[in-house]
Amino acid sequence: MKWLEEEIETRGKILDGNILKVNSFLNHQLDVDLLDKITLLWFDYFKRFKPNKILTIEASGIALATLLAQRFHCPAVFAKKGEHSNMGNVYSSEVYSYTKKQSQKISVDQEFLSSSDVVLIVDDFLANGSATNALLEICKKAGCQVVGVGIVIEKGFQDGGKKLREAGVNLYSLEIIESMDSKSGKIEFRK
Amino acid sequence: MKWLEEEIETRGKILDGNILKVNSFLNHQLDVDLLDKITLLWFDYFKRFKPNKILTIEASGIALATLLAQRFHCPAVFAKKGEHSNMGNVYSSEVYSYTKKQSQKISVDQEFLSSSDVVLIVDDFLANGSATNALLEICKKAGCQVVGVGIVIEKGFQDGGKKLREAGVNLYSLEIIESMDSKSGKIEFRK
């Protein structure tokens, strides 16, 4: 999508360590009208699979999941990080954060995922796939059907996306970055 | 709002320790159509103050802030919890969580709040007011104008709301709970 590439190029900042900072519109400040345009792309692609639940992980995925769930008129669910005293029985998994260099438990209350659910997973980024794989594992434990994974920005130079496709996951990344350079600020997108 | 009271009574669960669990629609699983109805109430009340930014705190406030920002066609910003290596200069404050019995740092990147901003703060719950006060402190540090605070459920038997009103904050809580009983499951709302 040319317009999305332009937004990422104009408003994103490339930091050392292959970090793309898009917190001015995607995951800290939220350009909600832009995010809504993004969810329309997912909606058009995934609607034939008739998901009845959108699943994501806190916190960056929540705005996207909310706007997509609004299009599907279905609930969104976000996996919670860490320990929560007021949760009931949960499905859990572990996410490894490379920026924080530690694993974190994520959980979904068993009430909100079941074998009758047809789930669409969404998130802002896909790099090594740790968060997506943790959500897939939670869905497996809940016995629900996952119809696909929607990602805004996939880092194509890391292997998360490749492994998911090889495993047969219906992955739809709106933009795949082949390379980026913090010195020149240049981003090369996969065609 | 009768319909909102009914949703809270029907779908909420009262736990010991004056905890109201509304995670089936408000802050874990998200009933997005219901949340959107909630944001319409805030929009109607606050639109005369012309906010240009919606501010909340991760994670429970994000869906609400997103849907409200959609109505205002303005950005939403969520304060991030904990330490983040990729953030630039930030405005910070501390939130004390009574359920977790610990303080946590929250931060907003200085790029996303300035003295020209007219801010509306929203959140799912107001009890002792720790989160709201932390967001107000961040706004004060940024020098922005806060036109009000929108809350879905205020626990009227705790003093957060009372203190904010006494301090002159334009607080609009959609429902204020006077008391609730975990044995009978009964909730008394303020008229």
Side-chain angles (χ1 to χ4, degrees):
Chain A
M1 260 58 60
K2 192 72 193 154
W3 61 265
L4 186 52
E5 289 177 14
E6 284 174 3
E7 293 283 354
I8 295 166
E9 282 174 329
T10 312
R11 300 166 76 178
K13 287 177 199 165
I14 304 166
L15 308 184
D16 288 337
N18 272 326
I19 291 162
L20 177 62
K21 201 170 163 181
V22 284
N23 65 356
S24 65
F25 62 100
L26 189 58
N27 49 25
H28 181 18
Q29 179 168 257
L30 306 167
D31 181 336
V32 173
D33 291 337
L34 177 65
L35 267 51
D36 199 36
K37 273 176 77 177
I38 284 172
T39 64
L40 179 58
L41 299 171
W42 286 335
F43 179 77
D44 283 342
Y45 179 81
F46 287 113
K47 64 187 174 195
R48 63 198 154 122
F49 302 108
K50 298 187 170 45
N52 73 342
K53 208 158 268 186
I54 312 299
L55 178 66
T56 191
I57 183 170
E58 69 173 44
S60 309
I62 296 176
L64 292 161
T66 298
L67 294 169
L68 184 59
Q70 194 178 35
R71 294 190 181 275
F72 278 111
H73 293 286
C74 77
V77 176
F78 62 91
K80 300 183 110 171
K81 291 175 178 171
E83 299 292 339
H84 296 267
S85 54
N86 301 333
M87 284 177 88
N89 293 325
V90 294
Y91 299 115
S92 293
S93 186
E94 293 275 331
V95 177
Y96 183 79
S97 164
Y98 285 82
T99 45
K100 292 186 178 178
K101 295 188 177 53
Q102 61 183 28
S103 283
Q104 194 165 31
K105 184 181 169 186
I106 65 163
S107 306
V108 173
D109 195 305
Q110 293 191 0
E111 280 185 41
F112 308 136
L113 282 180
S114 77
S115 58
S116 62
D117 281 323
V118 180
V119 173
L120 173 54
I121 293 170
V122 295
D123 210 351
D124 56 344
F125 272 96
L126 172 66
N128 58 74
S130 179
T132 304
N133 280 307
L135 292 173
L136 286 168
E137 191 188 341
I138 281 174
C139 288
K140 195 173 176 185
K141 286 177 179 173
C144 51
Q145 183 196 348
V146 177
V147 293
V149 176
I151 297 291
V152 183
I153 301 170
E154 177 183 334
K155 290 179 172 174
F157 50 87
Q158 290 184 248
D159 66 355
K162 184 167 174 280
K163 283 185 178 168
L164 287 169
R165 289 186 186 90
E166 284 171 1
V169 172
N170 183 12
L171 172 63
Y172 180 39
S173 299
L174 301 182
E175 297 296 344
I176 302 176
I177 293 176
E178 291 290 7
S179 66
M180 52 189 190
D181 182 51
S182 62
K183 287 220 175 67
S184 66
K186 198 159 167 49
I187 301 172
E188 193 197 334
F189 294 95
R190 189 175 296 175
K191 296 296 161 201
Chain B
M1 261 57 60
K2 193 72 194 154
W3 62 265
L4 186 52
E5 289 178 14
E6 284 174 4
E7 293 283 355
I8 295 167
E9 281 173 328
T10 312
R11 301 166 77 178
K13 286 177 199 164
I14 304 164
L15 308 184
D16 288 339
N18 273 325
I19 290 162
L20 177 63
K21 201 171 162 179
V22 284
N23 64 357
S24 66
F25 61 100
L26 189 59
N27 48 26
H28 181 19
Q29 179 167 254
L30 306 167
D31 182 335
V32 173
D33 291 337
L34 176 66
L35 267 51
D36 199 36
K37 274 176 76 176
I38 284 172
T39 65
L40 179 58
L41 299 171
W42 285 335
F43 179 76
D44 282 342
Y45 179 80
F46 286 113
K47 65 186 172 196
R48 63 198 153 119
F49 302 108
K50 299 187 168 44
N52 74 341
K53 208 156 268 187
I54 311 299
L55 179 65
T56 191
I57 183 170
E58 69 172 47
S60 309
I62 297 176
L64 292 161
T66 298
L67 294 169
L68 184 58
Q70 195 178 34
R71 294 190 181 276
F72 279 110
H73 292 287
C74 76
V77 175
F78 62 90
K80 300 184 112 171
K81 292 176 177 169
E83 299 292 338
H84 295 268
S85 54
N86 300 334
M87 282 175 88
N89 293 326
V90 294
Y91 299 114
S92 293
S93 186
E94 292 276 330
V95 177
Y96 184 79
S97 164
Y98 285 83
T99 44
K100 292 186 176 177
K101 292 186 181 56
Q102 62 184 27
S103 282
Q104 194 164 31
K105 184 181 171 186
I106 65 163
S107 306
V108 173
D109 195 304
Q110 292 191 1
E111 279 185 41
F112 308 137
L113 281 180
S114 77
S115 58
S116 62
D117 281 324
V118 180
V119 173
L120 173 54
I121 293 170
V122 296
D123 211 350
D124 56 344
F125 271 97
L126 173 66
N128 59 74
S130 179
T132 304
N133 280 307
L135 291 174
L136 287 168
E137 191 188 341
I138 282 174
C139 288
K140 196 173 175 183
K141 287 177 178 174
C144 51
Q145 183 196 350
V146 177
V147 293
V149 176
I151 297 290
V152 183
I153 302 170
E154 177 183 335
K155 290 179 171 174
F157 50 86
Q158 290 184 247
D159 65 357
K162 186 168 173 282
K163 284 184 178 168
L164 286 170
R165 288 186 188 90
E166 283 171 0
V169 172
N170 183 13
L171 173 63
Y172 180 40
S173 299
L174 302 182
E175 297 296 343
I176 302 175
I177 294 177
E178 291 291 8
S179 67
M180 53 188 190
D181 183 53
S182 62
K183 287 220 175 66
S184 66
K186 199 157 165 50
I187 301 173
E188 192 196 334
F189 294 96
R190 189 175 295 174
K191 296 296 161 198

